[in-house]
Amino acid sequence: MKILFISASPINNSVSVGNTFLNVFNGLKDIEFYSIYSKSGFPDTKISKAFRITEKNIVKKFINWRLSVGELVNDRYDGQFASDSSALKLAKSKRWSIFFFLRNLIWNLPFWKSKNLKKFLDEVQPDVIFTVLSNSAPLNKLIKFVVNYTKKPLILYAWDDNYSFSNSKSPFKKLLQLNSRKHMRNTVKLADKFYVISKIQQQDYEKWFTKPCKILTKSADFSSEPPIKKEYGKPLQIVYTGNVLLNRWRSLEIIASALQKINVNGVKAQLRIYTGNTLTEEMNLALNKGESSIVMGSVPASEVYKIQQDADMLVHVEGLDEKSAQLVRHSFSTKLVDYFKMARPILAVGPRGVASIEHLIENDCVIYADNECKLVKKLSNLIQNYYLLDELSLKAYNCGKLNHDDSIMKNLLKNDLEVLKN
């Protein structure tokens, strides 16, 4: 069976969409993967054939009509961290509406519907198209074109709430959101199967789109005994790997400040933060607090597993402010399944009502706090009673076994693919 992924980012394990797509299909037999994407970077070695269309290609075609749009990508992702360009870093950090407006404007040009793209689709002849439901108007236009051109079934997968209106007072941003929502509704209408990542999202999306949704998450093999650590560090090594944007850095600051208080008479626990994000001066001051908290910078995706495995405790954070909480309300971090599989204690700071936080609390497998005072008390108790780390580790593993086991998730996807193919 041939599966065609459509995404903005390349499909590889260094980015969320790639990590998720590859994981949900991992272990399924007799499947070939193909990819169409629109950003820089390279696809995973598991991708048999990849095609890339970028805004740069489209603009060049506008300037010089002799040029072709879209290209086959022969290189593959080598596991190294790919640094964004200065312009892309600015766009990600500021998220100004003008960036999204310009991108939409570029994709209004017809050049991306090129002979090269049609040739790629003719050669691949996919059996099923698999893509993410996002608020990107260009991506949704690309999905619609590919589905209509190939006449093949579409599977949608959503893991963020990017359909709700934000609290922004900007009329310009409201117009962009209205446009995005229209394209999202059009994409949902094309879908033959619709997956979501959490109970909260399932409830909202079935109401908003009037289409049945199934919960599908990243999964792992939980059939063996939980690999609980035999010995924990003194000082306790607490590790965060990932994005610090959407005010996650402020939640990390709560952990860093709590550790400063705990460590006033000697270092008992240390936070290490690994992130590829470019930090502002304010972020650096908030997160670098001597021996209590240190920003380690970026590391290749291939090294993240070992860093997490060596940790005594793993961190999950979401921004506590209302705007950030709304943006991640439906989300379930793919990293959490890795945490469960590793059988490591989990420390979480974030708002209630967010799917990932609620999942951890419901399964009683987390040290949770939403302010510094609570966290100081809970971590101090943990440091004085190391046996609690084993209890938390076992609960984390059991949460994974109950909710994210390979056998359950893979059978769900496998059965749906067979129905669509036939």
Side-chain angles (χ1 to χ4, degrees):
M1 181 181 292
K2 295 180 179 180
I3 304 295
L4 175 62
F5 295 133
I6 304 178
S7 58
S9 301
I11 300 299
N12 66 56
N13 284 314
S14 72
V15 290
S16 175
V17 64
N19 185 288
T20 301
F21 280 12
L22 292 173
N23 178 270
V24 297
F25 281 94
N26 187 42
L28 294 184
K29 296 180 179 179
D30 302 320
I31 291 182
E32 297 175 12
F33 300 121
Y34 298 84
S35 169
I36 297 175
Y37 65 101
S38 60
K39 289 185 179 179
S40 60
F42 302 113
D44 193 88
T45 54
K46 293 178 182 177
I47 304 298
S48 300
K49 205 170 185 179
F51 188 84
R52 177 173 58 202
I53 307 170
T54 65
E55 279 93 32
K56 190 175 181 180
N57 292 154
I58 301 170
V59 171
K60 282 186 174 182
K61 175 69 172 181
F62 179 71
I63 296 170
N64 184 352
W65 64 270
R66 293 183 181 86
L67 297 177
S68 58
V69 176
E71 60 184 348
L72 287 175
V73 180
N74 295 316
D75 291 332
R76 291 295 180 263
Y77 176 66
D78 61 5
Q80 295 299 307
F81 177 79
S83 179
D84 293 329
S85 66
S86 299
L88 190 54
K89 285 178 181 177
L90 180 64
K92 283 183 175 180
S93 62
K94 299 298 183 182
R95 296 189 67 80
W96 289 332
S97 296
I98 188 63
F99 288 121
F100 298 99
F101 174 77
L102 289 173
R103 185 180 64 182
N104 291 353
L105 193 63
I106 291 169
W107 279 83
N108 278 334
L109 297 170
F111 309 129
W112 59 270
K113 300 175 184 178
S114 65
K115 291 180 180 178
N116 288 353
L117 174 58
K118 293 173 183 176
K119 181 181 178 184
F120 175 80
L121 295 171
D122 291 339
E123 290 176 351
V124 171
Q125 289 290 312
D127 294 301
V128 175
I129 298 162
F130 192 96
T131 188
V132 60
L133 178 64
S134 81
N135 60 353
S136 167
L139 184 61
N140 284 306
K141 286 180 181 180
L142 179 58
I143 293 165
K144 182 179 180 181
F145 174 81
V146 173
V147 171
N148 288 336
Y149 185 82
T150 61
K151 310 297 183 187
K152 297 299 181 179
L154 172 68
I155 296 179
L156 278 184
Y157 193 13
W159 54 78
D160 287 321
D161 177 15
N162 41 35
Y163 188 76
S164 296
F165 272 117
S166 73
N167 295 324
S168 173
K169 295 179 181 179
S170 166
F172 185 52
K173 192 163 188 175
K174 292 288 187 186
L175 286 172
L176 281 174
Q177 287 181 310
L178 284 169
N179 183 56
S180 295
R181 284 162 62 96
K182 178 190 75 173
H183 286 288
M184 290 178 74
R185 289 193 298 271
N186 290 338
T187 299
V188 171
K189 287 176 184 177
L190 294 171
D192 297 275
K193 296 290 180 181
F194 196 179
Y195 298 132
V196 293
I197 206 164
S198 65
K199 292 178 183 177
I200 293 175
Q201 189 174 45
Q202 183 184 43
Q203 293 166 0
D204 285 348
Y205 272 32
E206 287 187 341
K207 180 175 67 176
W208 296 343
F209 297 111
T210 62
K211 197 156 203 163
C213 302
K214 297 180 180 179
I215 297 174
L216 178 70
T217 69
K218 181 175 178 176
S219 60
D221 180 5
F222 290 92
S223 61
S224 59
E225 288 297 311
I228 295 172
K229 287 194 79 169
K230 295 181 180 178
E231 186 176 356
Y232 298 97
K234 293 187 177 181
L236 196 71
Q237 295 301 303
I238 304 173
V239 168
Y240 178 76
T241 55
N243 195 321
V244 301
L245 302 180
L246 296 180
N247 280 332
R248 292 185 179 99
W249 68 274
R250 292 193 181 276
S251 295
L252 288 168
E253 182 184 16
I254 289 174
I255 301 174
S257 298
L259 291 178
Q260 266 194 319
K261 287 183 170 62
I262 291 169
N263 292 336
V264 68
N265 294 317
V267 181
K268 301 177 182 68
Q270 298 174 307
L271 174 65
R272 296 290 181 263
I273 300 167
Y274 296 85
T275 181
N277 298 129
T278 301
L279 305 188
T280 64
E281 184 178 353
E282 183 183 13
M283 292 177 182
N284 270 309
L285 288 172
L287 301 180
N288 283 297
K289 294 185 180 294
E291 285 297 307
S292 295
S293 175
I294 301 173
V295 177
M296 308 299 289
S298 63
V299 292
S302 56
E303 294 180 19
V304 170
Y305 177 82
K306 182 66 165 56
I307 290 169
Q308 292 175 342
Q309 190 178 46
D310 290 342
D312 297 314
M313 177 173 278
L314 297 169
V315 173
H316 173 67
V317 289
E318 296 294 0
L320 284 159
D321 61 292
E322 185 179 348
K323 182 179 178 181
S324 298
Q326 182 61 34
L327 287 170
V328 300
R329 182 171 172 266
H330 289 167
S331 305
F332 178 83
S333 175
T334 57
K335 290 197 300 290
L336 287 178
V337 178
D338 297 332
Y339 291 5
F340 300 148
K341 172 65 176 175
M342 289 174 188
R344 294 294 177 267
I346 300 170
L347 167 62
V349 176
R352 293 298 303 264
V354 168
S356 60
I357 296 293
E358 291 300 322
H359 188 65
L360 293 171
I361 293 173
E362 285 173 12
N363 286 277
D364 190 27
C365 61
V366 66
I367 292 291
Y368 167 75
D370 58 6
N371 64 61
E372 185 181 321
C373 183
K374 290 179 184 176
L375 188 58
V376 169
K377 290 180 181 178
K378 291 187 176 183
L379 279 179
S380 296
N381 179 56
L382 188 71
I383 290 167
Q384 292 169 15
N385 301 281
Y386 262 43
Y387 71 89
L388 295 174
L389 292 168
D390 281 354
E391 292 182 10
L392 281 169
S393 298
L394 183 59
K395 287 179 178 179
Y397 190 84
N398 287 338
C399 175
K401 187 172 185 176
L402 180 65
N403 299 287
H404 311 283
D405 190 72
D406 265 343
S407 60
I408 299 171
M409 294 298 165
K410 294 298 188 292
N411 282 335
L412 168 65
L413 182 58
K414 181 181 178 181
N415 292 338
D416 283 347
L417 287 173
E418 289 299 326
V419 169
L420 292 179
K421 186 180 178 183
N422 297 328

